[in-house]
Amino acid sequence: MTLEQQLTKPLSLDRRIFSSFMSAIAVIFTGLALLPLLSVLFEILRQGLPNLKWEVFTNLPAPAGDTSVVGGFANAIQGTVLMVSIAALFSIPFGIAIAVYLSEIGKSGAIAQTVRFVLSILSAVPSIVVGVFAYAVIVLSTILGYRGFSALAGSFALAVIMLPIVVLSTEEALKLVPNHQRLASAALGANSMQTVFKIVLKAALPSITTGVLLAIARASGETAPLIFTALFSQSWVEQILNPTPSLSVMIYNYSSSAFPEQTQMAWTASLVLLGLVTITNLLSRLITRKR
Amino acid sequence: MTSIPSESKPTLDSIEGGNTAWVEFGFAWGLRILALSAIAILLWMGWIIFNAALPAIKTFGLGFVTRQEWDVNQLQFGAKTYLYGTIVTSAIALLFAVPIGVIVAIVTSEKFLPGWLRSILGFLIELIASIPSVIIGFWGIFVLIPFMKPIQSALHQQLSWIPLFGTETFGPSLLVAGTILAVMILPTIAAISRDVMLAIPQDLRTASLSLGATRWEMITTVLIPASLSGIIGAIMLALGRALGETMAVTMVIGNSDQISLSLLDPGNTIPSILANQFPEALDELHIGALMYLALILFALTLIINMIANSIVKKFGLKQ
């Protein structure tokens, strides 16, 4: 065989078959991976949209079996917002402070390395275990003369879940701030506190917001740590030491209900919850994309 | 030429800045203490759960892991059933999610598709990860179980001589739970494996292709071996998630306290029993036994995640 023949010889049949076969498999598997997502979205829209009325956001759940009133889940929305807010109030400042330590002071020191490691471990602790922790710390102990399931216990669990997400994303955001800005600030005579608050945090604010939004989205959808810390209730949220409803626990409770209208309500609640989570996620993407 | 006005000539006092040193010191130490308290939270969590589990640890000892009965009235507790369910469902999940996840990672990291399509694909896969697990479970009850019921029946009819398919199904089963877990851990495997593959130097690919390899020969002989340890790290992170996943599994596994060889039978997992029994747990020993289960789950996921983290870290990736 001459060199020219060798160079222009087509690939052997088995190599060509292998390549096209693998490409076909790749396409099929990728489609398979997307199938559940499309099915979830389709089913939630199909089942949830018809019942998405204004009353859903203003009314309490209708009594089981009573189809004469239009039930809603305003109290569950209220509970979710309340618990996520309390958790955010605690975990966001705390998380940002830790991130400032990691990126501005500790850097690659032993303490910072350990804290980073612990936070990555903490972010991987199953949320049900965090729920068990909150149950033992708050539900089983007496706080302010009250012992039992409460919004406070739910918020505590959510805060522990949010903390590592806030810290790790904020640290990434702070690392992106160019070092010469810090040097310029120091050269003008600012102390490290002024540099952090007036220069570094200000410059990183959009990316920090992204991380915070992701943490909020994650916490809003959490169910496992809430079913035995906040429990549930059919009425309005009155104070943080009472059992408190949430959207996610409501979906769980109604998912096995014998009443079709409760199942319908769960679909609508899924639509609202998924909308909430997805909008928050998209928002966080848009904020970082602009930069 | 500008000259420095004489009145702003710095004095030693203003450079040293009187209280500035104290601000620096206090600021650094304040933050350091906050950072250390993150470590304290993890230790606190372990300590609290261990303490609450103590009554059960004292009563049942290490034999708890191999005891099967779980009787709330007789206060007899053992972890075997739930450990079995947790491990079997996670194994099924990996069986499905690993090949699909790795292929999705290949498709999104190599140049099979135009860039915009690849980023949409990546976004859609990550969207699955952000769906709350209670919604996935709800979808599982009303879509996945009816969809899989005929498949499970067919498996039983055709392959009933294999013990794994030895019983008739009534819907919820270990197999369905494993499948739903596969859906949930797929994004973890796909996203981390993709990042690992993108971190492999382009030169390796180019060299392999210039030696005459087809694209898939390059992938199977160069890319996958080079990124193998990273892919294993991704799989372990996904396993950690699968072991601890609660809501979706609880809603489709059938919650039946039995150990059955058949994957078509309902079962139970550690997270499921915790979710189901904590709201009604009253007796100290019952709570203790549940806490003991939580402690086992905590330790299990901790070890797996530590190993996974150290593998993935070698590639310079964040989780």
Side-chain angles (χ1 to χ4, degrees):
Chain A
M1 218 190 288
T2 65
L3 181 66
E4 197 179 328
Q5 276 173 323
Q6 275 181 345
L7 282 176
T8 54
K9 189 169 67 101
L11 291 175
S12 65
L13 192 62
D14 56 329
R15 289 176 70 191
R16 273 182 289 165
I17 288 177
F18 175 71
S19 240
S20 351
F21 174 73
M22 287 305 291
S23 295
I25 286 204
V27 173
I28 292 170
F29 275 25
T30 310
L32 219 56
L34 288 178
L35 206 60
L37 174 74
L38 300 178
S39 168
V40 169
L41 297 181
F42 172 77
E43 209 56 30
I44 287 180
L45 286 174
R46 189 175 73 91
Q47 305 259 25
L49 264 184
N51 285 303
L52 192 66
K53 305 186 186 92
W54 181 244
E55 284 87 348
V56 153
F57 299 101
T58 55
N59 288 9
L60 287 176
D66 185 353
T67 46
S68 60
V69 282
V70 184
F73 41 77
N75 60 333
I77 296 176
Q78 198 191 9
T80 294
V81 171
L82 174 78
M83 285 190 283
V84 173
S85 308
I86 297 175
L89 221 59
F90 169 77
S91 64
I92 292 170
F94 189 25
I96 292 178
I98 296 178
V100 167
Y101 174 78
L102 293 181
S103 93
E104 307 299 311
I105 297 166
K107 292 185 178 117
S108 53
I111 299 180
Q113 292 288 7
T114 317
V115 171
R116 244 176 240 126
F117 176 72
V118 164
L119 283 167
S120 69
I121 294 295
L122 198 60
S123 74
V125 171
S127 64
I128 185 116
V129 172
V130 177
V132 169
F133 173 49
Y135 177 85
V137 170
I138 298 186
V139 178
L140 286 185
S141 64
T142 312
I143 301 168
L144 308 170
Y146 177 85
R147 185 173 186 270
F149 305 104
S150 65
L152 188 68
S155 303
F156 178 79
L158 293 184
V160 174
I161 290 171
M162 288 170 80
L163 185 71
I165 309 176
V166 174
V167 179
L168 297 174
S169 60
T170 304
E171 198 204 347
E172 290 305 312
L174 296 182
K175 273 193 204 154
L176 293 177
V177 177
N179 207 34
H180 56 74
Q181 292 193 9
R182 294 187 184 85
L183 295 178
S185 165
L188 288 172
N191 62 34
S192 57
M193 207 159 134
Q194 288 164 329
T195 305
V196 164
F197 281 106
K198 296 197 173 147
I199 307 295
V200 181
L201 282 180
K202 220 170 176 178
L205 195 61
S207 329
I208 294 175
T209 316
T210 303
V212 166
L213 284 176
L214 284 178
I216 289 175
R218 168 84 190 275
S220 325
E222 279 295 345
T223 316
L226 295 183
I227 45 183
F228 49 82
T229 53
L231 212 65
F232 193 69
S233 109
Q234 296 285 345
S235 53
W236 296 105
V237 183
E238 272 160 3
Q239 58 141 321
I240 60 167
L241 293 178
N242 284 349
T244 303
S246 56
L247 273 177
S248 53
V249 175
M250 189 191 117
I251 297 169
Y252 175 61
N253 287 347
Y254 283 5
S255 69
S256 49
S257 165
F259 300 98
E261 65 274 9
Q262 290 198 334
T263 317
Q264 282 307 316
M265 207 41 91
W267 282 111
T268 312
S270 299
L271 180 65
V272 171
L273 182 59
L274 190 62
L276 205 82
V277 169
T278 312
I279 289 169
T280 319
N281 271 322
L282 284 177
L283 213 62
S284 74
R285 266 170 191 273
L286 285 178
I287 291 172
T288 32
R289 183 176 262 188
K290 263 192 199 157
R291 284 161 58 83
Chain B
M1 288 298 276
T2 53
S3 62
I4 301 168
S6 61
E7 62 268 23
S8 71
K9 211 178 242 174
T11 60
L12 193 63
D13 209 36
S14 70
I15 292 172
E16 301 267 305
N19 57 6
T20 304
W22 281 104
V23 171
E24 299 276 318
F25 184 78
F27 184 60
W29 270 99
L31 291 180
R32 187 167 292 137
I33 289 166
L34 285 182
L36 287 171
S37 63
I39 302 177
I41 290 177
L42 189 70
L43 296 177
W44 187 28
M45 192 184 293
W47 175 245
I48 284 276
I49 296 176
F50 174 78
N51 256 332
L54 217 51
I57 296 175
K58 278 185 184 143
T59 316
F60 303 113
L62 284 176
F64 184 69
V65 180
T66 51
R67 283 167 66 98
Q68 196 178 332
E69 68 262 65
W70 185 275
D71 190 331
V72 179
N73 296 321
Q74 304 290 321
L75 293 178
Q76 291 302 313
F77 301 106
K80 197 173 166 189
T81 320
Y82 313 110
L83 263 177
Y84 175 79
T86 307
I87 291 168
V88 170
T89 49
S90 302
I92 298 172
L94 288 184
L95 192 71
F96 291 150
V98 169
I100 300 183
V102 171
I103 286 200
V104 168
I106 292 172
V107 169
T108 45
S109 76
E110 306 307 302
K111 296 185 177 68
F112 280 97
L113 303 165
W116 61 271
L117 197 56
R118 262 182 290 154
S119 60
I120 290 181
L121 207 61
F123 171 71
L124 285 177
I125 301 283
E126 276 168 41
L127 200 61
I128 301 179
S130 71
I131 301 178
S133 92
V134 70
I135 293 184
I136 304 258
F138 191 44
W139 168 83
I141 295 176
F142 289 95
V143 180
L144 190 65
I145 289 181
F147 173 77
M148 283 189 65
K149 205 169 173 208
I151 300 175
Q152 296 193 89
S153 292
L155 278 174
H156 171 62
Q157 271 150 26
Q158 304 301 319
L159 302 167
S160 58
W161 48 275
I162 305 176
L164 292 180
F165 307 113
T167 57
E168 185 54 69
T169 181
F170 67 91
S173 70
L174 292 167
L175 187 64
V176 178
T179 311
I180 216 161
L181 272 179
V183 171
M184 303 190 70
I185 64 173
L186 182 91
T188 308
I189 298 180
I192 297 173
S193 303
R194 182 193 59 195
D195 290 351
V196 167
M197 287 174 188
L198 288 175
I200 303 292
Q202 203 60 41
D203 296 355
L204 278 179
R205 294 182 176 83
T206 322
S208 166
L209 292 174
S210 64
L211 285 174
T214 64
R215 180 185 275 157
W216 279 102
E217 283 164 353
M218 179 275 283
I219 289 169
T220 48
T221 58
V222 175
L223 186 68
I224 292 183
S227 46
L228 191 62
S229 67
I231 294 174
I232 291 173
I235 293 171
M236 293 197 68
L237 280 175
L239 175 63
R241 282 217 182 141
L243 293 174
E245 173 49 45
T246 311
M247 299 320 298
V249 172
T250 307
M251 291 161 90
V252 301
I253 199 169
N255 296 308
S256 138
D257 286 353
Q258 58 168 344
I259 294 185
S260 164
L261 262 185
S262 171
L263 301 180
L264 308 179
D265 269 334
N268 216 335
T269 66
I270 295 179
S272 302
I273 183 107
L274 296 179
N276 278 321
Q277 296 203 346
F278 257 121
E280 282 117 39
L282 290 172
D283 191 88
E284 193 192 17
L285 194 59
H286 185 200
I287 292 178
L290 291 171
M291 289 285 177
Y292 200 169
L293 284 177
L295 192 67
I296 293 172
L297 184 66
F298 185 47
L300 213 60
T301 50
L302 215 63
I303 294 167
I304 288 176
N305 279 301
M306 278 181 183
I307 299 171
N309 269 328
S310 59
I311 297 175
V312 174
K313 216 173 162 187
K314 275 201 308 200
F315 284 81
L317 306 170
K318 55 190 170 75
Q319 211 178 301

